[in-house]
Amino acid sequence: MCRSIKTLRPPALPEEATEEDIRAAALQYVRKVSGFRAPAAHNREVFDRAVEAIAEATAELLDNLEVRGAPARQAAAS
């Protein structure tokens, strides 16, 4: 488990997760899985693509989660 990745949904995070929060979590995940804090130049592109893919998947997950007792992010954003 990546201990530095925080929960990004209510009630663990009282406000809506920002793009920065989501990207930071994605970066920590990719670092943990790859074993690299910073990739070598020849791995930079694939590392960055992985971070972006994880960030997109995380944003989609958070947008579609239904948390009991909390309004959905999409409804709150409308």
Side-chain angles (χ1 to χ4, degrees):
M1 180 68 175
C2 298
R3 298 186 203 301
S4 58
I5 297 176
K6 64 183 180 180
T7 301
L8 298 179
R9 66 161 180 81
L13 188 66
E15 71 279 356
E16 188 173 304
T18 65
E19 285 183 35
E20 185 177 309
D21 294 328
I22 292 169
R23 188 168 194 304
L27 179 59
Q28 287 299 320
Y29 176 81
V30 172
R31 284 176 172 169
K32 184 67 159 187
V33 170
S34 70
F36 297 112
R37 175 155 170 55
H42 63 278
N43 286 326
R44 171 58 65 187
E45 185 179 338
V46 71
F47 189 92
D48 290 343
R49 279 196 323 257
V51 170
E52 290 309 313
I54 299 297
E56 287 176 19
T58 301
E60 181 180 349
L61 172 67
L62 292 173
D63 283 344
N64 292 295
L65 278 178
E66 292 184 30
V67 179
R68 292 182 185 189
R73 285 183 67 198
Q74 288 179 333
S78 300

